[in-house]
Amino acid sequence: MKEEILVNAEVLSHSYMPEKLLYRESELAQLKHNLQNFINTFITGPCGSGKTTLAKKALQCLNNSKKILACYIDCAVYQTTYSILKEIVPRSEFIFYRSNYELVKELMKQVKERKFVVCLDNFESMKDYSLITKFLSMGICIILISDAEENFSLLTENIRSNIPSIIRLTPYSSEQAFEILKDRVEKALAKWSCTDAILKRIADTVKGNIALAINALKVAALNAESKGKRAIEEADLPEIEDCPAKLSIDEKILLKILQEWKSLPARRLYDFYLQSARHPKSERSFRNYMESLCSKGLVKAIGEKRGRVYEIVEVEGNAVSKG
Ligand SMILES: Nc1ncnc2c1ncn2[C@@H]1O[C@H](COP(=O)(O)OP(=O)(O)OP(=O)(O)O)[C@@H](O)[C@H]1O
Ligand SMILES: [Mg+2]
């Protein structure tokens, strides 16, 4: 029977913004304090430790205040200077800017009128770090995010010395992962469809990666539903690897594009990839990447050859690990 268990799938999706950020109260308070005082910040922590959610929550509060324009950019998707600037400069989607120079000039004009905060998630994927220097010299407050602290050393000394605050997120403990899952279950699943024992089992296996835990819960719910059950049983739990499928940078880019568009003809997907990737590869390699994503169960291929369409498998890009 369909939808007997997963009554609100959105709550278990990658883009869902939880009302409360559990166990990150002090980090959220620190980040909000930093933003209010225009202190540039670097956030780091392992995959699934809540970096993106933490930053988006803090930015949300700023945007509510209207005095500051806060932008979130995922540099795994927007890698080029041009695409990042287009995302930041207000209303630039309606105007054709010929060059980065024109966009920078427009941004300089706008920063005189209002304050800007720019969050660059997965910043290590940016093509040109000198854009960060430009932001700093324009007085834009920046938040950089990366899952590897050593990526901070990719930046010049000049940039590093302008980022005085580092927020380090540690992996969630099993108990914390359990409580976060429990909170989601109440909103996402039908009553009595999931026991605490199942949640504990998931929480104990994911080693603090809450994205992986939420993902596993969603897969288990779908498995149980497809067998016509009204409750999740142990047998419905997916095998949880140490870390989800390791993807190459190109595979990650392709997956991110598909997460945005849900489904795309192969040709268009390849065109988007050419625009996004720092070092785009040939069409033949593209086909190999897509084959690999399909074999990992992250993407579905529908149709053959020229008419082929790729579709994201909605167990979520949470499965994208870095590295
Ligand atoms: N403290 C929390 N309370 C509730 N939900 C959380 C919390 N932390 C993370 N989540 C949820 O876990 C998922 C993963 O979090 P998030 O994407 O922020 O992790 P991340 O550290 O950015 O991972 P990655 O390194 O893969 O980018 C999201 O769906 C988010 O809603
Ligand atoms: Mg993230």
Side-chain angles (χ1 to χ4, degrees), residues 13-18 20-24 45-54 121-122 147 169 172 180 183-184 210-211 214 318 320 322:
S13 74
H14 192 60
S15 52
Y16 178 76
M17 179 56 74
K20 258 194 100 179
L21 205 54
L22 300 166
Y23 310 109
R24 296 292 189 226
C47 192
S49 57
K51 303 178 294 296
T52 301
T53 316
L54 175 76
D121 199 351
N122 300 303
D147 63 346
L169 300 186
Y172 294 105
I180 294 173
D183 182 60
R184 290 289 169 103
I210 195 67
I214 293 172
N318 294 357
V320 185
K322 308 288 180 302

PDB file of all heavy atoms in Angstrom, residues 13-18 20-24 45-54 121-122 147 169 172 180 183-184 210-211 214 318 320 322, ligand 1:
ATOM      1  N   SER A  13      13.899  15.005   3.085  1.00  0.00           N
ATOM      2  CA  SER A  13      14.650  15.361   1.871  1.00  0.00           C
ATOM      3  C   SER A  13      15.871  16.206   2.251  1.00  0.00           C
ATOM      4  O   SER A  13      15.935  16.791   3.331  1.00  0.00           O
ATOM      5  CB  SER A  13      13.765  16.133   0.894  1.00  0.00           C
ATOM      6  OG  SER A  13      13.583  17.447   1.374  1.00  0.00           O
ATOM      7  N   HIS A  14      16.799  16.270   1.325  1.00  0.00           N
ATOM      8  CA  HIS A  14      18.066  16.967   1.547  1.00  0.00           C
ATOM      9  C   HIS A  14      17.849  18.463   1.796  1.00  0.00           C
ATOM     10  O   HIS A  14      18.567  19.093   2.567  1.00  0.00           O
ATOM     11  CB  HIS A  14      18.957  16.761   0.324  1.00  0.00           C
ATOM     12  CG  HIS A  14      20.372  17.191   0.539  1.00  0.00           C
ATOM     13  ND1 HIS A  14      21.155  16.643   1.514  1.00  0.00           N
ATOM     14  CD2 HIS A  14      21.129  18.122  -0.090  1.00  0.00           C
ATOM     15  CE1 HIS A  14      22.340  17.211   1.474  1.00  0.00           C
ATOM     16  NE2 HIS A  14      22.353  18.119   0.513  1.00  0.00           N
ATOM     17  N   SER A  15      16.837  19.000   1.124  1.00  0.00           N
ATOM     18  CA  SER A  15      16.637  20.450   1.196  1.00  0.00           C
ATOM     19  C   SER A  15      15.808  20.879   2.412  1.00  0.00           C
ATOM     20  O   SER A  15      15.654  22.071   2.664  1.00  0.00           O
ATOM     21  CB  SER A  15      15.959  20.937  -0.087  1.00  0.00           C
ATOM     22  OG  SER A  15      14.807  20.157  -0.301  1.00  0.00           O
ATOM     23  N   TYR A  16      15.293  19.920   3.165  1.00  0.00           N
ATOM     24  CA  TYR A  16      14.424  20.272   4.293  1.00  0.00           C
ATOM     25  C   TYR A  16      15.195  21.049   5.371  1.00  0.00           C
ATOM     26  O   TYR A  16      16.285  20.656   5.766  1.00  0.00           O
ATOM     27  CB  TYR A  16      13.826  18.999   4.897  1.00  0.00           C
ATOM     28  CG  TYR A  16      12.946  19.250   6.088  1.00  0.00           C
ATOM     29  CD1 TYR A  16      11.666  19.756   5.919  1.00  0.00           C
ATOM     30  CD2 TYR A  16      13.399  19.001   7.382  1.00  0.00           C
ATOM     31  CE1 TYR A  16      10.846  19.989   7.025  1.00  0.00           C
ATOM     32  CE2 TYR A  16      12.591  19.246   8.484  1.00  0.00           C
ATOM     33  CZ  TYR A  16      11.320  19.742   8.295  1.00  0.00           C
ATOM     34  OH  TYR A  16      10.519  19.978   9.376  1.00  0.00           O
ATOM     35  N   MET A  17      14.597  22.129   5.790  1.00  0.00           N
ATOM     36  CA  MET A  17      15.244  22.935   6.838  1.00  0.00           C
ATOM     37  C   MET A  17      14.543  22.658   8.162  1.00  0.00           C
ATOM     38  O   MET A  17      13.388  23.042   8.351  1.00  0.00           O
ATOM     39  CB  MET A  17      15.134  24.415   6.449  1.00  0.00           C
ATOM     40  CG  MET A  17      15.730  25.369   7.451  1.00  0.00           C
ATOM     41  SD  MET A  17      17.458  25.092   7.851  1.00  0.00           S
ATOM     42  CE  MET A  17      18.257  25.695   6.392  1.00  0.00           C
ATOM     43  N   PRO A  18      15.220  21.958   9.085  1.00  0.00           N
ATOM     44  CA  PRO A  18      14.543  21.648  10.359  1.00  0.00           C
ATOM     45  C   PRO A  18      14.240  22.922  11.122  1.00  0.00           C
ATOM     46  O   PRO A  18      14.991  23.892  11.044  1.00  0.00           O
ATOM     47  CB  PRO A  18      15.566  20.784  11.103  1.00  0.00           C
ATOM     48  CG  PRO A  18      16.876  21.070  10.456  1.00  0.00           C
ATOM     49  CD  PRO A  18      16.605  21.490   9.059  1.00  0.00           C
ATOM     50  N   LYS A  20      14.237  23.359  14.310  1.00  0.00           N
ATOM     51  CA  LYS A  20      15.262  23.568  15.351  1.00  0.00           C
ATOM     52  C   LYS A  20      16.507  22.797  14.999  1.00  0.00           C
ATOM     53  O   LYS A  20      16.435  21.652  14.546  1.00  0.00           O
ATOM     54  CB  LYS A  20      14.720  23.065  16.698  1.00  0.00           C
ATOM     55  CG  LYS A  20      14.247  24.194  17.577  1.00  0.00           C
ATOM     56  CD  LYS A  20      14.046  23.747  18.996  1.00  0.00           C
ATOM     57  CE  LYS A  20      15.253  24.164  19.820  1.00  0.00           C
ATOM     58  NZ  LYS A  20      15.120  23.790  21.217  1.00  0.00           N
ATOM     59  N   LEU A  21      17.626  23.451  15.195  1.00  0.00           N
ATOM     60  CA  LEU A  21      18.904  22.795  14.946  1.00  0.00           C
ATOM     61  C   LEU A  21      19.371  22.206  16.279  1.00  0.00           C
ATOM     62  O   LEU A  21      19.916  22.917  17.122  1.00  0.00           O
ATOM     63  CB  LEU A  21      19.891  23.849  14.436  1.00  0.00           C
ATOM     64  CG  LEU A  21      21.037  23.379  13.591  1.00  0.00           C
ATOM     65  CD1 LEU A  21      20.570  22.576  12.403  1.00  0.00           C
ATOM     66  CD2 LEU A  21      21.854  24.566  13.112  1.00  0.00           C
ATOM     67  N   LEU A  22      19.121  20.925  16.444  1.00  0.00           N
ATOM     68  CA  LEU A  22      19.422  20.300  17.735  1.00  0.00           C
ATOM     69  C   LEU A  22      20.925  20.165  17.952  1.00  0.00           C
ATOM     70  O   LEU A  22      21.665  19.891  17.016  1.00  0.00           O
ATOM     71  CB  LEU A  22      18.764  18.912  17.796  1.00  0.00           C
ATOM     72  CG  LEU A  22      17.243  18.897  17.666  1.00  0.00           C
ATOM     73  CD1 LEU A  22      16.732  17.488  17.397  1.00  0.00           C
ATOM     74  CD2 LEU A  22      16.600  19.474  18.915  1.00  0.00           C
ATOM     75  N   TYR A  23      21.342  20.352  19.159  1.00  0.00           N
ATOM     76  CA  TYR A  23      22.751  20.173  19.598  1.00  0.00           C
ATOM     77  C   TYR A  23      23.746  21.117  18.920  1.00  0.00           C
ATOM     78  O   TYR A  23      24.939  20.888  18.957  1.00  0.00           O
ATOM     79  CB  TYR A  23      23.209  18.719  19.403  1.00  0.00           C
ATOM     80  CG  TYR A  23      22.230  17.745  19.986  1.00  0.00           C
ATOM     81  CD1 TYR A  23      21.449  16.961  19.156  1.00  0.00           C
ATOM     82  CD2 TYR A  23      22.058  17.660  21.363  1.00  0.00           C
ATOM     83  CE1 TYR A  23      20.513  16.086  19.691  1.00  0.00           C
ATOM     84  CE2 TYR A  23      21.125  16.795  21.904  1.00  0.00           C
ATOM     85  CZ  TYR A  23      20.364  16.016  21.065  1.00  0.00           C
ATOM     86  OH  TYR A  23      19.434  15.175  21.600  1.00  0.00           O
ATOM     87  N   ARG A  24      23.262  22.141  18.264  1.00  0.00           N
ATOM     88  CA  ARG A  24      24.174  23.110  17.643  1.00  0.00           C
ATOM     89  C   ARG A  24      23.849  24.519  18.123  1.00  0.00           C
ATOM     90  O   ARG A  24      24.091  25.483  17.388  1.00  0.00           O
ATOM     91  CB  ARG A  24      24.047  23.046  16.106  1.00  0.00           C
ATOM     92  CG  ARG A  24      24.475  21.721  15.481  1.00  0.00           C
ATOM     93  CD  ARG A  24      25.963  21.496  15.622  1.00  0.00           C
ATOM     94  NE  ARG A  24      26.420  20.349  14.864  1.00  0.00           N
ATOM     95  CZ  ARG A  24      27.255  19.428  15.366  1.00  0.00           C
ATOM     96  NH1 ARG A  24      27.682  19.498  16.609  1.00  0.00           N
ATOM     97  NH2 ARG A  24      27.667  18.443  14.613  1.00  0.00           N
ATOM     98  N   GLY A  45      33.862  20.658   9.376  1.00  0.00           N
ATOM     99  CA  GLY A  45      33.354  19.497  10.115  1.00  0.00           C
ATOM    100  C   GLY A  45      33.100  18.393   9.114  1.00  0.00           C
ATOM    101  O   GLY A  45      32.926  18.668   7.922  1.00  0.00           O
ATOM    102  N   PRO A  46      33.063  17.151   9.560  1.00  0.00           N
ATOM    103  CA  PRO A  46      32.912  16.049   8.604  1.00  0.00           C
ATOM    104  C   PRO A  46      31.545  16.033   7.918  1.00  0.00           C
ATOM    105  O   PRO A  46      30.624  16.744   8.336  1.00  0.00           O
ATOM    106  CB  PRO A  46      33.109  14.800   9.471  1.00  0.00           C
ATOM    107  CG  PRO A  46      32.844  15.239  10.869  1.00  0.00           C
ATOM    108  CD  PRO A  46      33.193  16.688  10.940  1.00  0.00           C
ATOM    109  N   CYS A  47      31.464  15.228   6.905  1.00  0.00           N
ATOM    110  CA  CYS A  47      30.251  15.054   6.111  1.00  0.00           C
ATOM    111  C   CYS A  47      29.061  14.725   7.028  1.00  0.00           C
ATOM    112  O   CYS A  47      29.179  13.860   7.897  1.00  0.00           O
ATOM    113  CB  CYS A  47      30.540  13.877   5.173  1.00  0.00           C
ATOM    114  SG  CYS A  47      29.357  13.667   3.895  1.00  0.00           S
ATOM    115  N   GLY A  48      27.966  15.458   6.835  1.00  0.00           N
ATOM    116  CA  GLY A  48      26.761  15.172   7.611  1.00  0.00           C
ATOM    117  C   GLY A  48      26.808  15.667   9.047  1.00  0.00           C
ATOM    118  O   GLY A  48      26.066  15.194   9.901  1.00  0.00           O
ATOM    119  N   SER A  49      27.675  16.657   9.326  1.00  0.00           N
ATOM    120  CA  SER A  49      27.726  17.190  10.692  1.00  0.00           C
ATOM    121  C   SER A  49      26.880  18.462  10.820  1.00  0.00           C
ATOM    122  O   SER A  49      26.861  19.084  11.877  1.00  0.00           O
ATOM    123  CB  SER A  49      29.179  17.452  11.120  1.00  0.00           C
ATOM    124  OG  SER A  49      29.813  18.335  10.221  1.00  0.00           O
ATOM    125  N   GLY A  50      26.227  18.856   9.736  1.00  0.00           N
ATOM    126  CA  GLY A  50      25.280  19.972   9.818  1.00  0.00           C
ATOM    127  C   GLY A  50      25.838  21.341   9.454  1.00  0.00           C
ATOM    128  O   GLY A  50      25.245  22.358   9.803  1.00  0.00           O
ATOM    129  N   LYS A  51      26.939  21.387   8.706  1.00  0.00           N
ATOM    130  CA  LYS A  51      27.563  22.682   8.350  1.00  0.00           C
ATOM    131  C   LYS A  51      26.625  23.555   7.513  1.00  0.00           C
ATOM    132  O   LYS A  51      26.396  24.726   7.825  1.00  0.00           O
ATOM    133  CB  LYS A  51      28.867  22.455   7.546  1.00  0.00           C
ATOM    134  CG  LYS A  51      29.889  21.602   8.243  1.00  0.00           C
ATOM    135  CD  LYS A  51      31.104  21.375   7.381  1.00  0.00           C
ATOM    136  CE  LYS A  51      30.840  20.548   6.142  1.00  0.00           C
ATOM    137  NZ  LYS A  51      30.426  19.148   6.411  1.00  0.00           N
ATOM    138  N   THR A  52      26.090  22.945   6.442  1.00  0.00           N
ATOM    139  CA  THR A  52      25.235  23.707   5.528  1.00  0.00           C
ATOM    140  C   THR A  52      23.981  24.196   6.252  1.00  0.00           C
ATOM    141  O   THR A  52      23.581  25.357   6.111  1.00  0.00           O
ATOM    142  CB  THR A  52      24.845  22.816   4.329  1.00  0.00           C
ATOM    143  OG1 THR A  52      26.058  22.407   3.688  1.00  0.00           O
ATOM    144  CG2 THR A  52      23.970  23.543   3.342  1.00  0.00           C
ATOM    145  N   THR A  53      23.404  23.309   7.045  1.00  0.00           N
ATOM    146  CA  THR A  53      22.170  23.660   7.754  1.00  0.00           C
ATOM    147  C   THR A  53      22.439  24.784   8.755  1.00  0.00           C
ATOM    148  O   THR A  53      21.644  25.714   8.878  1.00  0.00           O
ATOM    149  CB  THR A  53      21.606  22.420   8.476  1.00  0.00           C
ATOM    150  OG1 THR A  53      21.674  21.315   7.581  1.00  0.00           O
ATOM    151  CG2 THR A  53      20.184  22.617   8.890  1.00  0.00           C
ATOM    152  N   LEU A  54      23.563  24.693   9.439  1.00  0.00           N
ATOM    153  CA  LEU A  54      23.942  25.730  10.403  1.00  0.00           C
ATOM    154  C   LEU A  54      24.042  27.094   9.709  1.00  0.00           C
ATOM    155  O   LEU A  54      23.465  28.095  10.167  1.00  0.00           O
ATOM    156  CB  LEU A  54      25.288  25.365  11.045  1.00  0.00           C
ATOM    157  CG  LEU A  54      25.883  26.392  11.995  1.00  0.00           C
ATOM    158  CD1 LEU A  54      25.154  26.375  13.329  1.00  0.00           C
ATOM    159  CD2 LEU A  54      27.373  26.135  12.228  1.00  0.00           C
ATOM    160  N   ASP A 121      29.752  27.724   0.270  1.00  0.00           N
ATOM    161  CA  ASP A 121      29.797  26.344   0.761  1.00  0.00           C
ATOM    162  C   ASP A 121      30.670  25.523  -0.192  1.00  0.00           C
ATOM    163  O   ASP A 121      30.696  25.805  -1.399  1.00  0.00           O
ATOM    164  CB  ASP A 121      28.368  25.785   0.804  1.00  0.00           C
ATOM    165  CG  ASP A 121      28.238  24.569   1.718  1.00  0.00           C
ATOM    166  OD1 ASP A 121      29.273  24.053   2.184  1.00  0.00           O
ATOM    167  OD2 ASP A 121      27.091  24.152   1.971  1.00  0.00           O
ATOM    168  N   ASN A 122      31.365  24.534   0.329  1.00  0.00           N
ATOM    169  CA  ASN A 122      32.307  23.736  -0.488  1.00  0.00           C
ATOM    170  C   ASN A 122      33.241  24.672  -1.247  1.00  0.00           C
ATOM    171  O   ASN A 122      33.468  24.494  -2.452  1.00  0.00           O
ATOM    172  CB  ASN A 122      31.546  22.831  -1.463  1.00  0.00           C
ATOM    173  CG  ASN A 122      30.626  21.864  -0.752  1.00  0.00           C
ATOM    174  OD1 ASN A 122      31.072  21.096   0.093  1.00  0.00           O
ATOM    175  ND2 ASN A 122      29.343  21.929  -1.037  1.00  0.00           N
ATOM    176  N   ASP A 147      34.404  20.575   4.270  1.00  0.00           N
ATOM    177  CA  ASP A 147      34.397  19.428   5.190  1.00  0.00           C
ATOM    178  C   ASP A 147      35.809  19.035   5.631  1.00  0.00           C
ATOM    179  O   ASP A 147      35.968  18.222   6.523  1.00  0.00           O
ATOM    180  CB  ASP A 147      33.640  18.235   4.592  1.00  0.00           C
ATOM    181  CG  ASP A 147      34.277  17.713   3.335  1.00  0.00           C
ATOM    182  OD1 ASP A 147      35.133  18.418   2.788  1.00  0.00           O
ATOM    183  OD2 ASP A 147      33.924  16.610   2.892  1.00  0.00           O
ATOM    184  N   LEU A 169      32.691  21.739  13.689  1.00  0.00           N
ATOM    185  CA  LEU A 169      31.586  20.864  14.096  1.00  0.00           C
ATOM    186  C   LEU A 169      32.112  19.443  14.254  1.00  0.00           C
ATOM    187  O   LEU A 169      32.803  18.938  13.369  1.00  0.00           O
ATOM    188  CB  LEU A 169      30.469  20.884  13.053  1.00  0.00           C
ATOM    189  CG  LEU A 169      29.812  22.235  12.768  1.00  0.00           C
ATOM    190  CD1 LEU A 169      28.635  22.059  11.815  1.00  0.00           C
ATOM    191  CD2 LEU A 169      29.315  22.877  14.060  1.00  0.00           C
ATOM    192  N   TYR A 172      28.005  13.975  15.279  1.00  0.00           N
ATOM    193  CA  TYR A 172      27.019  13.767  16.332  1.00  0.00           C
ATOM    194  C   TYR A 172      27.295  12.434  17.035  1.00  0.00           C
ATOM    195  O   TYR A 172      27.751  11.479  16.399  1.00  0.00           O
ATOM    196  CB  TYR A 172      25.607  13.739  15.731  1.00  0.00           C
ATOM    197  CG  TYR A 172      25.177  15.066  15.150  1.00  0.00           C
ATOM    198  CD1 TYR A 172      25.137  15.268  13.773  1.00  0.00           C
ATOM    199  CD2 TYR A 172      24.816  16.120  15.974  1.00  0.00           C
ATOM    200  CE1 TYR A 172      24.754  16.487  13.235  1.00  0.00           C
ATOM    201  CE2 TYR A 172      24.427  17.347  15.446  1.00  0.00           C
ATOM    202  CZ  TYR A 172      24.399  17.524  14.073  1.00  0.00           C
ATOM    203  OH  TYR A 172      24.031  18.722  13.540  1.00  0.00           O
ATOM    204  N   ILE A 180      17.805  13.356  16.885  1.00  0.00           N
ATOM    205  CA  ILE A 180      17.510  14.104  15.649  1.00  0.00           C
ATOM    206  C   ILE A 180      16.575  13.269  14.763  1.00  0.00           C
ATOM    207  O   ILE A 180      15.590  13.767  14.216  1.00  0.00           O
ATOM    208  CB  ILE A 180      18.810  14.478  14.892  1.00  0.00           C
ATOM    209  CG1 ILE A 180      19.639  15.469  15.726  1.00  0.00           C
ATOM    210  CG2 ILE A 180      18.498  15.076  13.522  1.00  0.00           C
ATOM    211  CD1 ILE A 180      21.015  15.781  15.160  1.00  0.00           C
ATOM    212  N   ASP A 183      12.997  13.208  16.122  1.00  0.00           N
ATOM    213  CA  ASP A 183      12.296  14.451  15.806  1.00  0.00           C
ATOM    214  C   ASP A 183      11.748  14.413  14.371  1.00  0.00           C
ATOM    215  O   ASP A 183      10.624  14.810  14.102  1.00  0.00           O
ATOM    216  CB  ASP A 183      13.289  15.606  15.993  1.00  0.00           C
ATOM    217  CG  ASP A 183      12.653  16.946  15.735  1.00  0.00           C
ATOM    218  OD1 ASP A 183      11.696  17.262  16.456  1.00  0.00           O
ATOM    219  OD2 ASP A 183      13.097  17.659  14.816  1.00  0.00           O
ATOM    220  N   ARG A 184      12.574  13.900  13.447  1.00  0.00           N
ATOM    221  CA  ARG A 184      12.128  13.823  12.043  1.00  0.00           C
ATOM    222  C   ARG A 184      11.006  12.811  11.848  1.00  0.00           C
ATOM    223  O   ARG A 184      10.071  13.029  11.064  1.00  0.00           O
ATOM    224  CB  ARG A 184      13.287  13.401  11.130  1.00  0.00           C
ATOM    225  CG  ARG A 184      14.366  14.400  10.938  1.00  0.00           C
ATOM    226  CD  ARG A 184      13.889  15.564  10.085  1.00  0.00           C
ATOM    227  NE  ARG A 184      14.878  16.605  10.163  1.00  0.00           N
ATOM    228  CZ  ARG A 184      15.749  16.854   9.190  1.00  0.00           C
ATOM    229  NH1 ARG A 184      15.702  16.207   8.063  1.00  0.00           N
ATOM    230  NH2 ARG A 184      16.636  17.811   9.339  1.00  0.00           N
ATOM    231  N   ILE A 210      24.644  12.502  10.141  1.00  0.00           N
ATOM    232  CA  ILE A 210      23.187  12.544  10.260  1.00  0.00           C
ATOM    233  C   ILE A 210      22.519  12.506   8.873  1.00  0.00           C
ATOM    234  O   ILE A 210      21.397  12.024   8.737  1.00  0.00           O
ATOM    235  CB  ILE A 210      22.729  13.754  11.121  1.00  0.00           C
ATOM    236  CG1 ILE A 210      21.278  13.606  11.557  1.00  0.00           C
ATOM    237  CG2 ILE A 210      22.926  15.054  10.427  1.00  0.00           C
ATOM    238  CD1 ILE A 210      21.053  12.478  12.510  1.00  0.00           C
ATOM    239  N   ALA A 211      23.225  12.992   7.866  1.00  0.00           N
ATOM    240  CA  ALA A 211      22.664  12.928   6.502  1.00  0.00           C
ATOM    241  C   ALA A 211      22.474  11.460   6.108  1.00  0.00           C
ATOM    242  O   ALA A 211      21.436  11.075   5.549  1.00  0.00           O
ATOM    243  CB  ALA A 211      23.608  13.618   5.524  1.00  0.00           C
ATOM    244  N   ILE A 214      19.434   9.972   8.023  1.00  0.00           N
ATOM    245  CA  ILE A 214      18.117  10.375   7.495  1.00  0.00           C
ATOM    246  C   ILE A 214      17.833   9.614   6.199  1.00  0.00           C
ATOM    247  O   ILE A 214      16.735   9.142   5.942  1.00  0.00           O
ATOM    248  CB  ILE A 214      18.071  11.911   7.289  1.00  0.00           C
ATOM    249  CG1 ILE A 214      18.131  12.608   8.653  1.00  0.00           C
ATOM    250  CG2 ILE A 214      16.826  12.326   6.533  1.00  0.00           C
ATOM    251  CD1 ILE A 214      18.296  14.119   8.590  1.00  0.00           C
ATOM    252  N   ASN A 318      22.176  13.328  -0.109  1.00  0.00           N
ATOM    253  CA  ASN A 318      22.877  13.167   1.163  1.00  0.00           C
ATOM    254  C   ASN A 318      23.978  12.146   0.979  1.00  0.00           C
ATOM    255  O   ASN A 318      24.946  12.130   1.699  1.00  0.00           O
ATOM    256  CB  ASN A 318      21.921  12.629   2.227  1.00  0.00           C
ATOM    257  CG  ASN A 318      20.846  13.610   2.557  1.00  0.00           C
ATOM    258  OD1 ASN A 318      20.854  14.710   2.020  1.00  0.00           O
ATOM    259  ND2 ASN A 318      19.936  13.248   3.423  1.00  0.00           N
ATOM    260  N   VAL A 320      26.099  12.000  -1.150  1.00  0.00           N
ATOM    261  CA  VAL A 320      27.318  12.509  -1.775  1.00  0.00           C
ATOM    262  C   VAL A 320      28.363  12.765  -0.703  1.00  0.00           C
ATOM    263  O   VAL A 320      28.239  13.659   0.108  1.00  0.00           O
ATOM    264  CB  VAL A 320      27.050  13.839  -2.509  1.00  0.00           C
ATOM    265  CG1 VAL A 320      28.295  14.277  -3.244  1.00  0.00           C
ATOM    266  CG2 VAL A 320      25.909  13.697  -3.449  1.00  0.00           C
ATOM    267  N   LYS A 322      32.346  13.665   0.363  1.00  0.00           N
ATOM    268  CA  LYS A 322      33.434  14.422  -0.228  1.00  0.00           C
ATOM    269  C   LYS A 322      34.655  13.530  -0.344  1.00  0.00           C
ATOM    270  O   LYS A 322      34.846  12.633   0.446  1.00  0.00           O
ATOM    271  CB  LYS A 322      33.770  15.619   0.642  1.00  0.00           C
ATOM    272  CG  LYS A 322      32.571  16.469   0.977  1.00  0.00           C
ATOM    273  CD  LYS A 322      32.150  17.224  -0.254  1.00  0.00           C
ATOM    274  CE  LYS A 322      30.967  18.108  -0.029  1.00  0.00           C
ATOM    275  NZ  LYS A 322      29.775  17.519   0.434  1.00  0.00           N
TER     276      LYS A 322
HETATM  277  N1  LIG B   1      21.435  19.568  14.420  1.00  0.00           N
HETATM  278  C1  LIG B   1      20.574  19.142  13.513  1.00  0.00           C
HETATM  279  N2  LIG B   1      19.276  19.023  13.817  1.00  0.00           N
HETATM  280  C2  LIG B   1      18.404  18.582  12.884  1.00  0.00           C
HETATM  281  N3  LIG B   1      18.732  18.219  11.643  1.00  0.00           N
HETATM  282  C3  LIG B   1      20.028  18.317  11.292  1.00  0.00           C
HETATM  283  C4  LIG B   1      21.007  18.782  12.194  1.00  0.00           C
HETATM  284  N4  LIG B   1      22.214  18.778  11.589  1.00  0.00           N
HETATM  285  C5  LIG B   1      22.007  18.321  10.363  1.00  0.00           C
HETATM  286  N5  LIG B   1      20.695  18.052  10.170  1.00  0.00           N
HETATM  287  C6  LIG B   1      20.123  17.516   8.946  1.00  0.00           C
HETATM  288  O1  LIG B   1      21.049  16.591   8.411  1.00  0.00           O
HETATM  289  C7  LIG B   1      21.184  16.734   7.007  1.00  0.00           C
HETATM  290  C8  LIG B   1      22.632  16.972   6.666  1.00  0.00           C
HETATM  291  O2  LIG B   1      23.076  18.197   7.194  1.00  0.00           O
HETATM  292  P1  LIG B   1      24.013  19.168   6.354  1.00  0.00           P
HETATM  293  O3  LIG B   1      23.706  19.035   4.907  1.00  0.00           O
HETATM  294  O4  LIG B   1      23.897  20.505   6.962  1.00  0.00           O
HETATM  295  O5  LIG B   1      25.440  18.535   6.668  1.00  0.00           O
HETATM  296  P2  LIG B   1      26.846  18.997   6.069  1.00  0.00           P
HETATM  297  O6  LIG B   1      27.811  18.990   7.195  1.00  0.00           O
HETATM  298  O7  LIG B   1      26.683  20.250   5.309  1.00  0.00           O
HETATM  299  O8  LIG B   1      27.187  17.785   5.101  1.00  0.00           O
HETATM  300  P3  LIG B   1      28.141  17.812   3.784  1.00  0.00           P
HETATM  301  O9  LIG B   1      29.567  17.777   4.266  1.00  0.00           O
HETATM  302  O10 LIG B   1      27.767  16.544   3.078  1.00  0.00           O
HETATM  303  O11 LIG B   1      27.825  19.016   2.973  1.00  0.00           O
HETATM  304  C9  LIG B   1      20.271  17.846   6.595  1.00  0.00           C
HETATM  305  O12 LIG B   1      19.119  17.267   6.022  1.00  0.00           O
HETATM  306  C10 LIG B   1      19.936  18.571   7.880  1.00  0.00           C
HETATM  307  O13 LIG B   1      18.613  19.024   7.840  1.00  0.00           O
END
